[in-house]
Short mmCIF file of all heavy atoms in Angstrom, two decimals:
data_model
loop_
_atom_site.label_atom_id
_atom_site.label_comp_id
_atom_site.label_asym_id
_atom_site.label_seq_id
_atom_site.Cartn_x
_atom_site.Cartn_y
_atom_site.Cartn_z
N VAL A 1 -9.08 7.48 -4.41
CA VAL A 1 -8.08 7.18 -5.41
C VAL A 1 -7.20 8.34 -5.65
O VAL A 1 -6.18 8.24 -6.40
CB VAL A 1 -8.69 6.66 -6.72
CG1 VAL A 1 -9.46 5.35 -6.49
CG2 VAL A 1 -9.66 7.72 -7.23
N GLY A 2 -7.51 9.49 -5.05
CA GLY A 2 -6.61 10.67 -5.34
C GLY A 2 -6.79 11.75 -4.32
O GLY A 2 -7.91 11.99 -3.80
N HIS A 3 -5.64 12.36 -3.92
CA HIS A 3 -5.57 13.51 -3.04
C HIS A 3 -4.91 14.64 -3.77
O HIS A 3 -3.74 14.53 -4.17
CB HIS A 3 -4.78 13.22 -1.74
CG HIS A 3 -5.46 12.19 -0.85
ND1 HIS A 3 -6.45 12.45 0.11
CD2 HIS A 3 -5.20 10.80 -0.80
CE1 HIS A 3 -6.79 11.33 0.71
NE2 HIS A 3 -6.07 10.36 0.17
N LEU A 4 -5.65 15.74 -3.98
CA LEU A 4 -5.10 16.80 -4.81
C LEU A 4 -5.05 18.09 -3.96
O LEU A 4 -5.88 18.41 -3.19
CB LEU A 4 -6.07 17.12 -5.97
CG LEU A 4 -6.39 15.83 -6.83
CD1 LEU A 4 -7.42 16.16 -7.93
CD2 LEU A 4 -5.18 15.23 -7.48
N LEU A 5 -3.91 18.86 -4.22
CA LEU A 5 -3.70 20.14 -3.53
C LEU A 5 -4.57 21.23 -4.09
O LEU A 5 -4.81 21.22 -5.32
CB LEU A 5 -2.23 20.53 -3.54
CG LEU A 5 -1.22 19.53 -2.91
CD1 LEU A 5 0.22 19.98 -3.09
CD2 LEU A 5 -1.51 19.39 -1.46
N PRO A 6 -5.07 22.14 -3.30
CA PRO A 6 -5.93 23.16 -3.79
C PRO A 6 -5.31 24.24 -4.58
O PRO A 6 -5.96 25.04 -5.26
CB PRO A 6 -6.65 23.66 -2.53
CG PRO A 6 -5.58 23.50 -1.51
CD PRO A 6 -4.86 22.22 -1.87
N VAL A 7 -3.98 24.48 -4.50
CA VAL A 7 -3.39 25.59 -5.19
C VAL A 7 -2.25 25.01 -6.03
O VAL A 7 -1.32 24.34 -5.57
CB VAL A 7 -2.72 26.61 -4.20
CG1 VAL A 7 -2.07 27.76 -4.94
CG2 VAL A 7 -3.85 27.08 -3.26
N PRO A 8 -2.19 25.20 -7.39
CA PRO A 8 -3.38 25.81 -8.17
C PRO A 8 -4.52 24.86 -8.22
O PRO A 8 -4.34 23.66 -8.05
CB PRO A 8 -2.74 26.05 -9.52
CG PRO A 8 -1.68 25.05 -9.66
CD PRO A 8 -1.08 24.76 -8.31
N PRO A 9 -5.77 25.25 -8.45
CA PRO A 9 -6.92 24.35 -8.43
C PRO A 9 -6.75 23.27 -9.47
O PRO A 9 -6.47 23.51 -10.69
CB PRO A 9 -8.02 25.33 -8.86
CG PRO A 9 -7.54 26.64 -8.54
CD PRO A 9 -6.09 26.63 -8.79
N PRO A 10 -6.90 21.98 -9.14
CA PRO A 10 -6.82 20.90 -10.11
C PRO A 10 -8.02 20.84 -11.00
O PRO A 10 -9.15 21.13 -10.55
CB PRO A 10 -6.69 19.66 -9.20
CG PRO A 10 -7.45 20.07 -7.93
CD PRO A 10 -7.17 21.50 -7.79
N LEU A 11 -7.75 20.55 -12.24
CA LEU A 11 -8.88 20.53 -13.20
C LEU A 11 -9.05 19.09 -13.82
O LEU A 11 -10.05 18.84 -14.56
CB LEU A 11 -8.68 21.49 -14.35
CG LEU A 11 -8.64 22.98 -13.92
CD1 LEU A 11 -8.33 23.87 -15.19
CD2 LEU A 11 -9.90 23.34 -13.28
N SER A 12 -8.16 18.11 -13.53
CA SER A 12 -8.27 16.83 -14.07
C SER A 12 -7.52 15.84 -13.18
O SER A 12 -6.68 16.17 -12.36
CB SER A 12 -7.74 16.79 -15.47
OG SER A 12 -6.29 17.04 -15.49
N PHE A 13 -7.89 14.55 -13.35
CA PHE A 13 -7.27 13.48 -12.66
C PHE A 13 -7.19 12.28 -13.51
O PHE A 13 -8.19 11.89 -14.16
CB PHE A 13 -8.04 13.18 -11.33
CG PHE A 13 -7.55 11.92 -10.65
CD1 PHE A 13 -6.38 11.95 -9.93
CD2 PHE A 13 -8.25 10.74 -10.67
CE1 PHE A 13 -5.89 10.82 -9.31
CE2 PHE A 13 -7.79 9.64 -9.98
CZ PHE A 13 -6.57 9.68 -9.26
N LEU A 14 -6.01 11.61 -13.63
CA LEU A 14 -5.80 10.47 -14.44
C LEU A 14 -5.79 9.24 -13.50
O LEU A 14 -4.95 9.13 -12.65
CB LEU A 14 -4.49 10.49 -15.24
CG LEU A 14 -4.18 9.24 -16.05
CD1 LEU A 14 -5.22 9.01 -17.12
CD2 LEU A 14 -2.76 9.39 -16.68
N ASP A 15 -6.79 8.33 -13.66
CA ASP A 15 -6.83 7.09 -12.83
C ASP A 15 -6.20 5.99 -13.65
O ASP A 15 -6.85 5.38 -14.52
CB ASP A 15 -8.27 6.81 -12.44
CG ASP A 15 -8.35 5.68 -11.39
OD1 ASP A 15 -7.37 5.22 -11.03
OD2 ASP A 15 -9.53 5.41 -11.00
N SER A 16 -5.02 5.67 -13.31
CA SER A 16 -4.32 4.58 -13.98
C SER A 16 -4.08 3.36 -13.07
O SER A 16 -3.18 2.60 -13.18
CB SER A 16 -2.96 5.05 -14.51
OG SER A 16 -2.17 5.62 -13.46
N SER A 17 -4.94 3.16 -12.18
CA SER A 17 -4.83 2.06 -11.15
C SER A 17 -4.91 0.70 -11.83
O SER A 17 -5.78 0.54 -12.76
CB SER A 17 -5.87 2.21 -10.08
OG SER A 17 -5.92 1.09 -9.23
N SER A 18 -4.12 -0.27 -11.40
CA SER A 18 -4.19 -1.61 -11.91
C SER A 18 -5.43 -2.32 -11.43
O SER A 18 -5.74 -3.40 -11.86
CB SER A 18 -2.93 -2.44 -11.45
OG SER A 18 -2.88 -2.43 -10.06
N ALA A 19 -6.18 -1.72 -10.52
CA ALA A 19 -7.39 -2.36 -10.04
C ALA A 19 -8.57 -2.08 -10.99
O ALA A 19 -9.67 -2.73 -10.83
CB ALA A 19 -7.74 -1.76 -8.62
N LEU A 20 -8.43 -1.26 -11.95
CA LEU A 20 -9.55 -1.09 -12.94
C LEU A 20 -9.66 -2.33 -13.90
O LEU A 20 -8.68 -2.91 -14.25
CB LEU A 20 -9.22 0.17 -13.76
CG LEU A 20 -9.23 1.51 -13.01
CD1 LEU A 20 -8.83 2.66 -13.93
CD2 LEU A 20 -10.63 1.77 -12.42
N SER A 21 -10.86 -2.57 -14.16
CA SER A 21 -11.15 -3.75 -15.11
C SER A 21 -11.79 -3.23 -16.38
O SER A 21 -12.47 -2.26 -16.42
CB SER A 21 -12.15 -4.69 -14.44
OG SER A 21 -11.61 -5.24 -13.27
N PRO A 22 -11.51 -4.04 -17.53
CA PRO A 22 -12.10 -3.53 -18.71
C PRO A 22 -13.65 -3.68 -18.81
O PRO A 22 -14.25 -4.52 -17.99
CB PRO A 22 -11.54 -4.52 -19.78
CG PRO A 22 -10.31 -5.05 -19.15
CD PRO A 22 -10.61 -5.07 -17.65
N TRP A 23 -14.33 -2.90 -19.53
CA TRP A 23 -15.76 -2.97 -19.80
C TRP A 23 -16.53 -3.02 -18.45
O TRP A 23 -17.38 -3.88 -18.25
CB TRP A 23 -16.08 -4.11 -20.74
CG TRP A 23 -17.43 -3.99 -21.33
CD1 TRP A 23 -18.46 -4.86 -21.23
CD2 TRP A 23 -17.88 -2.93 -22.20
NE1 TRP A 23 -19.51 -4.44 -21.98
CE2 TRP A 23 -19.17 -3.17 -22.58
CE3 TRP A 23 -17.31 -1.76 -22.65
CZ2 TRP A 23 -19.97 -2.38 -23.42
CZ3 TRP A 23 -18.08 -0.93 -23.54
CH2 TRP A 23 -19.38 -1.31 -23.88
N THR A 24 -16.25 -2.08 -17.57
CA THR A 24 -16.86 -2.00 -16.27
C THR A 24 -17.30 -0.58 -16.04
O THR A 24 -16.61 0.37 -16.39
CB THR A 24 -15.89 -2.42 -15.15
OG1 THR A 24 -15.41 -3.77 -15.46
CG2 THR A 24 -16.57 -2.40 -13.80
N VAL A 25 -18.52 -0.44 -15.46
CA VAL A 25 -19.05 0.90 -15.16
C VAL A 25 -18.57 1.32 -13.76
O VAL A 25 -18.79 0.67 -12.76
CB VAL A 25 -20.55 0.92 -15.16
CG1 VAL A 25 -21.10 2.28 -14.88
CG2 VAL A 25 -21.07 0.44 -16.52
N TYR A 26 -17.78 2.44 -13.74
CA TYR A 26 -17.31 3.05 -12.47
C TYR A 26 -17.95 4.37 -12.26
O TYR A 26 -18.42 5.06 -13.21
CB TYR A 26 -15.81 3.29 -12.59
CG TYR A 26 -15.00 1.96 -12.56
CD1 TYR A 26 -14.53 1.33 -13.71
CD2 TYR A 26 -14.73 1.26 -11.34
CE1 TYR A 26 -13.84 0.21 -13.70
CE2 TYR A 26 -13.97 0.14 -11.30
CZ TYR A 26 -13.59 -0.41 -12.56
OH TYR A 26 -12.85 -1.60 -12.48
N GLN A 27 -18.05 4.80 -11.04
CA GLN A 27 -18.56 6.10 -10.69
C GLN A 27 -17.47 6.89 -9.84
O GLN A 27 -16.83 6.29 -9.01
CB GLN A 27 -19.84 5.88 -9.86
CG GLN A 27 -21.02 5.33 -10.63
CD GLN A 27 -22.22 5.18 -9.82
OE1 GLN A 27 -22.20 4.81 -8.64
NE2 GLN A 27 -23.40 5.54 -10.39
N TYR A 28 -17.41 8.18 -10.20
CA TYR A 28 -16.46 9.05 -9.53
C TYR A 28 -17.18 10.21 -8.95
O TYR A 28 -18.21 10.71 -9.47
CB TYR A 28 -15.34 9.51 -10.47
CG TYR A 28 -14.42 8.49 -10.98
CD1 TYR A 28 -14.75 7.60 -12.06
CD2 TYR A 28 -13.21 8.32 -10.39
CE1 TYR A 28 -13.84 6.66 -12.46
CE2 TYR A 28 -12.29 7.32 -10.80
CZ TYR A 28 -12.60 6.53 -11.84
OH TYR A 28 -11.76 5.58 -12.23
N ARG A 29 -16.60 10.78 -7.82
CA ARG A 29 -17.11 12.00 -7.26
C ARG A 29 -15.98 12.75 -6.58
O ARG A 29 -15.01 12.23 -6.19
CB ARG A 29 -18.28 11.76 -6.32
CG ARG A 29 -17.84 11.10 -5.01
CD ARG A 29 -19.06 10.85 -4.12
NE ARG A 29 -18.71 10.27 -2.89
CZ ARG A 29 -19.64 9.81 -2.01
NH1 ARG A 29 -20.85 9.98 -2.15
NH2 ARG A 29 -19.18 9.17 -0.84
N LEU A 30 -16.21 14.11 -6.46
CA LEU A 30 -15.28 14.98 -5.71
C LEU A 30 -15.74 15.16 -4.28
O LEU A 30 -16.90 15.29 -4.01
CB LEU A 30 -15.18 16.29 -6.38
CG LEU A 30 -14.29 16.48 -7.67
CD1 LEU A 30 -14.54 17.81 -8.32
CD2 LEU A 30 -12.82 16.24 -7.25
N VAL A 31 -14.71 15.19 -3.42
CA VAL A 31 -14.98 15.52 -2.01
C VAL A 31 -14.01 16.73 -1.66
O VAL A 31 -12.85 16.57 -1.75
CB VAL A 31 -14.73 14.34 -1.05
CG1 VAL A 31 -15.01 14.78 0.42
CG2 VAL A 31 -15.57 13.15 -1.49
N LEU A 32 -14.64 17.83 -1.33
CA LEU A 32 -13.83 19.07 -1.01
C LEU A 32 -13.84 19.34 0.49
O LEU A 32 -14.89 19.26 1.08
CB LEU A 32 -14.45 20.30 -1.73
CG LEU A 32 -14.08 20.44 -3.27
CD1 LEU A 32 -14.66 19.31 -4.08
CD2 LEU A 32 -14.54 21.83 -3.77
N HIS A 33 -12.69 19.62 0.98
CA HIS A 33 -12.48 19.88 2.44
C HIS A 33 -11.93 21.34 2.65
O HIS A 33 -11.19 21.85 1.90
CB HIS A 33 -11.45 18.91 3.04
CG HIS A 33 -11.83 17.44 2.96
ND1 HIS A 33 -12.42 16.82 3.96
CD2 HIS A 33 -11.71 16.55 2.03
CE1 HIS A 33 -12.64 15.53 3.70
NE2 HIS A 33 -12.25 15.38 2.46
N ASN A 34 -12.57 21.93 3.73
CA ASN A 34 -11.94 23.24 4.23
C ASN A 34 -12.05 23.24 5.73
O ASN A 34 -12.49 22.19 6.34
CB ASN A 34 -12.56 24.45 3.59
CG ASN A 34 -14.11 24.58 3.86
OD1 ASN A 34 -14.64 23.93 4.81
ND2 ASN A 34 -14.76 25.39 3.14
N GLN A 35 -11.74 24.35 6.34
CA GLN A 35 -11.78 24.42 7.77
C GLN A 35 -13.11 24.25 8.42
O GLN A 35 -13.25 23.78 9.54
CB GLN A 35 -11.17 25.78 8.27
CG GLN A 35 -9.73 25.91 7.93
CD GLN A 35 -9.18 27.27 8.37
OE1 GLN A 35 -9.93 28.19 8.79
NE2 GLN A 35 -7.82 27.41 8.38
N ALA A 36 -14.13 24.50 7.59
CA ALA A 36 -15.46 24.35 8.10
C ALA A 36 -16.08 22.98 7.97
O ALA A 36 -17.09 22.60 8.51
CB ALA A 36 -16.46 25.37 7.51
N GLY A 37 -15.45 22.16 7.14
CA GLY A 37 -15.98 20.83 6.90
C GLY A 37 -15.71 20.35 5.50
O GLY A 37 -14.73 20.73 4.88
N LYS A 38 -16.66 19.57 4.93
CA LYS A 38 -16.43 19.01 3.62
C LYS A 38 -17.77 19.01 2.86
O LYS A 38 -18.87 18.97 3.42
CB LYS A 38 -15.90 17.60 3.63
CG LYS A 38 -16.84 16.49 4.19
CD LYS A 38 -16.24 15.13 4.06
CE LYS A 38 -17.18 14.05 4.59
NZ LYS A 38 -16.61 12.73 4.46
N SER A 39 -17.65 19.03 1.53
CA SER A 39 -18.81 18.92 0.65
C SER A 39 -18.54 17.78 -0.41
O SER A 39 -17.33 17.59 -0.89
CB SER A 39 -19.00 20.25 -0.14
OG SER A 39 -19.34 21.23 0.80
N THR A 40 -19.63 17.04 -0.68
CA THR A 40 -19.47 15.94 -1.55
C THR A 40 -20.24 16.15 -2.83
O THR A 40 -21.43 16.51 -2.75
CB THR A 40 -19.97 14.62 -0.90
OG1 THR A 40 -19.25 14.40 0.28
CG2 THR A 40 -19.75 13.43 -1.81
N GLY A 41 -19.62 15.97 -3.94
CA GLY A 41 -20.30 16.21 -5.29
C GLY A 41 -21.03 14.91 -5.67
O GLY A 41 -21.03 13.89 -5.01
N PRO A 42 -21.82 14.96 -6.79
CA PRO A 42 -22.64 13.85 -7.22
C PRO A 42 -21.72 12.80 -7.93
O PRO A 42 -20.60 13.09 -8.45
CB PRO A 42 -23.57 14.50 -8.20
CG PRO A 42 -22.81 15.66 -8.75
CD PRO A 42 -22.03 16.17 -7.63
N TRP A 43 -22.21 11.59 -7.96
CA TRP A 43 -21.48 10.53 -8.66
C TRP A 43 -21.67 10.75 -10.17
O TRP A 43 -22.72 11.09 -10.66
CB TRP A 43 -21.99 9.16 -8.33
CG TRP A 43 -21.67 8.62 -6.91
CD1 TRP A 43 -22.52 8.57 -5.89
CD2 TRP A 43 -20.40 8.19 -6.52
NE1 TRP A 43 -21.84 8.09 -4.74
CE2 TRP A 43 -20.57 7.79 -5.12
CE3 TRP A 43 -19.19 8.06 -7.09
CZ2 TRP A 43 -19.57 7.31 -4.36
CZ3 TRP A 43 -18.17 7.56 -6.29
CH2 TRP A 43 -18.31 7.21 -4.99
N VAL A 44 -20.59 10.51 -10.94
CA VAL A 44 -20.58 10.55 -12.42
C VAL A 44 -20.10 9.20 -12.90
O VAL A 44 -19.06 8.66 -12.41
CB VAL A 44 -19.70 11.70 -12.91
CG1 VAL A 44 -19.65 11.65 -14.43
CG2 VAL A 44 -20.19 13.00 -12.44
N SER A 45 -20.82 8.64 -13.83
CA SER A 45 -20.52 7.29 -14.35
C SER A 45 -19.73 7.34 -15.57
O SER A 45 -19.84 8.22 -16.44
CB SER A 45 -21.84 6.48 -14.63
OG SER A 45 -22.58 6.36 -13.45
N VAL A 46 -18.82 6.32 -15.72
CA VAL A 46 -18.00 6.18 -16.91
C VAL A 46 -17.71 4.67 -17.09
O VAL A 46 -17.62 3.96 -16.09
CB VAL A 46 -16.68 6.94 -16.86
CG1 VAL A 46 -15.84 6.48 -15.69
CG2 VAL A 46 -15.93 6.87 -18.15
N THR A 47 -17.61 4.25 -18.33
CA THR A 47 -17.41 2.85 -18.64
C THR A 47 -16.04 2.67 -19.28
O THR A 47 -15.72 3.38 -20.26
CB THR A 47 -18.44 2.26 -19.58
OG1 THR A 47 -19.79 2.42 -19.02
CG2 THR A 47 -18.25 0.75 -19.85
N THR A 48 -15.20 1.75 -18.75
CA THR A 48 -13.91 1.54 -19.33
C THR A 48 -14.09 0.81 -20.71
O THR A 48 -15.07 0.20 -20.99
CB THR A 48 -13.01 0.65 -18.41
OG1 THR A 48 -13.81 -0.52 -18.01
CG2 THR A 48 -12.66 1.41 -17.20
#
């Protein structure tokens, strides 16, 4: 749902997609890429 540039480092992301539904549990995670590969962070849950 988002592609962020590394400079300056992003600290937040606003998800305003029309695909979101009320009173639903969603999970988000970060995926970081560099020349050596990528790292995936843990899922974090939030309820609309």
